Amino acid sequence: QSVLTQPPSASGTPGQRVTISCSGSSSNIGTKPLNWYQQLPGTAPRLLVYANDQRPSGVPDRFSGSKSGTSASLAISGLQSEDEADYYCAAWDGSLNDWVFGGGTKLTVL
Amino acid sequence: EVHLVESGGGLVKPGGSLRLSCAASGFTFSNAGMSWVRQAPGKGLEWVGRIKSRTDGGAIAYGAPVKDRFAISRDESQNTLFLQMNSLTTEDTAVYYCTTYLKDSSGWHYFDHWGQGTLVTVSS
């Protein structure tokens, strides 16, 4: 059971906008910034969003992050087939003194 | 370009030890925080531990499942990060990723660049 809760799956058709949620508590998302990672099949994770809504250089602006209270979301607009991957949220937990991850969301592009 | 290459994975018996290495290039290693994150087969990501940069205090911390069994160290002369793993159990079977551990302008950290990972299998 992961400390951060994500839906196990999500899907969309090319061009659509999809969102992936990540729910936590006051000891992590509620008071600490959230990061998002993309893991393409058979590859290492890649940083997509840090500090809730900041994109590293090289990440397309189709990817955007937001946070409200103890929940956060990753939105992907203009969905492309190459976006098919697992997506993970992560935050520092001040009570556990541990980095915690969501269980991951498998995104399928139909 | 940042490049992280892990090595040292393999098959080890329960109770055994293994030392992983992560060779870093493309950035000033001595100024960088580093971390290890693992992923059991077919499962999600789990934080193993981190070592902050010298300028950030250099502190080392570990995730609860590995505390007191694993140890992180670094050799700045070789631009290499290490993970010494002792008292291994089957629960430690995973791909182990080395990452840079950066601090943003607000002081918050995140895992930035990732290596390709090295597989550790603990089995009798």
Side-chain angles (χ1 to χ4, degrees), chain A residues 23-46:
Chain A
S23 177
S25 67
S26 59
S27 63
N28 43 66
I29 297 178
T31 51
K32 306 290 186 291
L34 188 84
N35 308 317
W36 288 95
Y37 298 88
Q38 176 194 58
Q39 187 174 32
L40 297 171
T43 70
R46 163 202 182 196

Side-chain angles (χ1 to χ4, degrees), chain A:
Chain A
Q1 192 79 356
S2 302
V3 174
L4 303 182
T5 302
Q6 297 180 237
S9 63
S11 63
T13 55
Q16 259 191 335
R17 181 178 187 272
V18 298
T19 61
I20 297 172
S21 63
C22 177
S23 177
S25 67
S26 59
S27 63
N28 43 66
I29 297 178
T31 51
K32 306 290 186 291
L34 188 84
N35 308 317
W36 288 95
Y37 298 88
Q38 176 194 58
Q39 187 174 32
L40 297 171
T43 70
R46 163 202 182 196
L47 177 67
L48 269 187
V49 171
Y50 68 96
N52 304 322
D53 56 10
Q54 301 299 299
R55 273 188 312 275
S57 60
V59 174
D61 59 7
R62 301 188 296 106
F63 296 91
S64 62
S66 62
K67 188 177 87 167
S68 177
T70 58
S71 293
S73 292
L74 174 70
I76 309 172
S77 59
L79 197 63
Q80 300 179 4
S81 57
E82 57 257 40
D83 298 333
E84 194 160 277
D86 293 325
Y87 293 83
Y88 295 91
C89 57
W92 177 256
D93 189 294
S95 292
L96 298 174
N97 277 324
D98 228 320
W99 276 94
V100 291
F101 288 88
T105 297
K106 185 175 186 62
L107 174 64
T108 301
V109 180
L110 302 169

Side-chain angles (χ1 to χ4, degrees), chain B residues 54-76:
Chain B
R54 201 188 313 160
T55 54
D56 196 12
I60 300 175
Y62 302 94
V66 308
K67 208 171 294 188
D68 301 325
R69 298 188 299 124
F70 288 14
I72 294 174
S73 61
R74 62 195 298 165
D75 183 337
E76 294 179 359

